[in-house]
Amino acid sequence: MSRIAYVNGQYVPVSKAMVHIEDRGYQFADGIYEVCTVVNGRYWDMEGHLARLDRSLRELQMDAPMDHAALRVVMKEVVRRNRLKNALVYMQVTRGVAPRNHAFPPEGTPPSLVITARRFNLNRGDALAESGVSVISHPDIRWGRVDIKTVGLLPNALAKQAASEAGAYEAFLVRDGYVTECSSSNAWIVDESGALVTHPKGNTILGGITRQTAIACAEELQIKVIERPFTLEEAKAAPEAFLTSATSFVTPVTAIDGVRIGSGKPGPVARRLREAYKARAARG
Ligand SMILES: Cc1ncc(COP(=O)(O)O)c(C=O)c1O
C-alpha cells in the first residue's frame, strides 16, 4: 500500500505529494512543525503538541491553517488512510506560496499544511534504551529563537550528521560551556543526590513536550527536578545522563565523547523514568 499524505486540502499518495517551488517553507524555512505519536489509536500528549504549534505560529505571526478540531480530524484521517494503529504523525505549516520576497506575503495568503504518518512502535526504542546510547558534544551554532519549532534545522542536521559519523546516536549541543539540548531531543543529567537536572526553558532550547511529561512522571515518582544549565564537564562526571523526545521517550546516555557515564550502563533513575513514561503513554 502506498503511503498517503495530506497536502493543502487533499489526501494523496506520498509519491504524488507536491509542494510549490515558491512555498516559503522551501525558500526561507518559513515554517513550523510538530511530531507526535498515536498510541493504540489514541493521540498521545496531543494537547501539548497543539499548544506548542499555536505558540510557534503566534511567535512568527503566522496564520493557523485550521482550528484544533479540524486538525485532529485531518490527522486521524491520515492515520486511518495509512491503516495505522500506532503512528508517528508529522505536521508542517508554512507561510504559504508567494513570489520570492523576504518580507511577508500579502495578508490572506493561505498557509500551507502537510500532514504525514508512518508506523510507530511503542517498544521500538527498547533495545537502545537497554544498551544505552553514546553522544558526542557539538557546538550549538543555532539562531536565538530555537524555542520556536521551525523547519530551519540545518545546524541540527549538521550536529546529527557529526554524531552519526562518530558512531554516536545524538549530539549534546554546547553553548558557552553549557549543554543546551540535543539536535532533536532534550538533554538531562542525574546529579549526586539523584535529582534530575535539565536546562531551563527559554530562547535557547526547544521546550520539549516529552520533557514536560517527563517532569510530571518524575513528580509522580517523587524524584526532584532542577531546571538549571549544566556544563559539559558536569555531564561527563554525572552518575547518569539521558535524553527525551516524542520519538525516543526517555533514552539513557552511557557515554559522552567516549567518556563513560556512571557505570557505563543505563542507570536506575533513567530506567524508572522511562518505565513511568511508557506506562503513561500506554494509558493514553
Ligand atoms: C531541538 C529539539 N529539542 C527537543 C526536542 C524534543 O521535543 P519533543 O519532546 O516535543 O519531541 C526536539 C524534537 O524534535 C527537538 O528537535
Side-chain angles (χ1 to χ4, degrees):
M1 187 195 69
S2 66
R3 284 176 51 215
I4 305 296
Y6 173 89
V7 184
N8 294 326
Q10 290 187 310
Y11 297 94
V12 285
V14 167
S15 59
K16 303 245 160 49
M18 303 284 171
V19 289
H20 197 285
I21 59 162
E22 288 192 307
D23 190 285
R24 288 184 62 96
Y26 179 62
Q27 292 190 326
F28 296 107
D30 188 2
I32 57 148
Y33 74 107
E34 282 296 324
V35 178
C36 44
T37 48
V38 171
V39 177
N40 293 328
R42 286 196 305 265
Y43 299 122
W44 166 231
D45 263 349
M46 188 53 73
E47 290 304 322
H49 286 283
L50 290 177
R52 187 171 62 186
L53 182 88
D54 284 350
R55 180 178 184 277
S56 296
L57 291 169
R58 218 170 33 243
E59 291 297 317
L60 296 176
Q61 301 159 55
M62 207 180 274
D63 291 335
M66 53 180 73
D67 64 21
H68 286 186
L71 265 181
R72 282 175 183 265
V73 168
V74 176
M75 276 190 273
K76 203 168 177 180
E77 186 59 15
V78 173
V79 170
R80 191 191 71 77
R81 288 186 187 227
N82 284 286
R83 299 197 195 140
L84 299 170
K85 208 165 149 226
N86 295 295
L88 204 61
V89 177
Y90 177 86
M91 179 176 13
Q92 176 173 320
V93 183
T94 77
R95 207 181 300 274
V97 175
R100 190 175 185 280
N101 176 14
H102 288 60
F104 292 175
E107 230 169 273
T109 301
S112 302
L113 173 63
V114 169
I115 299 180
T116 59
R118 62 175 205 242
R119 193 170 303 283
F120 178 72
N121 179 348
L122 190 61
N123 302 319
R124 80 169 189 173
D126 283 356
L128 273 183
E130 272 307 307
S131 60
V133 299
S134 60
V135 304
I136 57 162
S137 60
H138 194 79
D140 189 348
I141 59 167
R142 300 172 301 160
W143 73 319
R145 290 303 309 274
V146 299
D147 55 307
I148 307 171
K149 198 165 167 65
T150 79
V151 296
L153 291 173
L154 187 54
N156 307 56
L158 293 174
K160 188 78 111 196
Q161 177 61 19
S164 168
E165 284 173 16
Y169 178 77
E170 248 290 18
F172 268 23
L173 303 179
V174 180
R175 187 183 293 257
D176 301 329
Y178 291 94
V179 176
T180 50
E181 57 176 334
C182 306
S183 73
S184 61
S185 41
N186 288 110
W188 304 66
I189 57 171
V190 178
D191 74 8
E192 292 296 343
S193 75
L196 310 184
V197 181
T198 193
H199 197 289
K201 279 168 82 170
N203 294 348
T204 56
I205 69 161
L206 179 76
I209 305 306
T210 317
R211 176 188 181 280
Q212 197 172 298
T213 304
I215 290 174
C217 289
E219 272 164 14
E220 215 173 70
L221 296 170
Q222 296 187 320
I223 301 172
K224 190 172 169 190
V225 179
I226 306 169
E227 294 179 71
R228 66 157 174 86
F230 59 88
T231 64
L232 181 60
E233 280 61 45
E234 196 182 352
K236 287 181 181 173
E240 293 185 42
F242 61 93
L243 47 87
T244 56
S245 77
T247 51
S248 60
F249 300 165
V250 175
T251 298
V253 170
T254 46
I256 304 172
D257 290 337
V259 175
R260 205 171 68 177
I261 304 306
S263 64
K265 299 224 163 64
V269 180
R271 274 178 192 274
R272 280 179 71 207
L273 196 64
R274 181 177 172 88
E275 286 313 312
Y277 182 89
K278 278 186 66 179
R280 241 181 210 245
R283 282 200 305 267

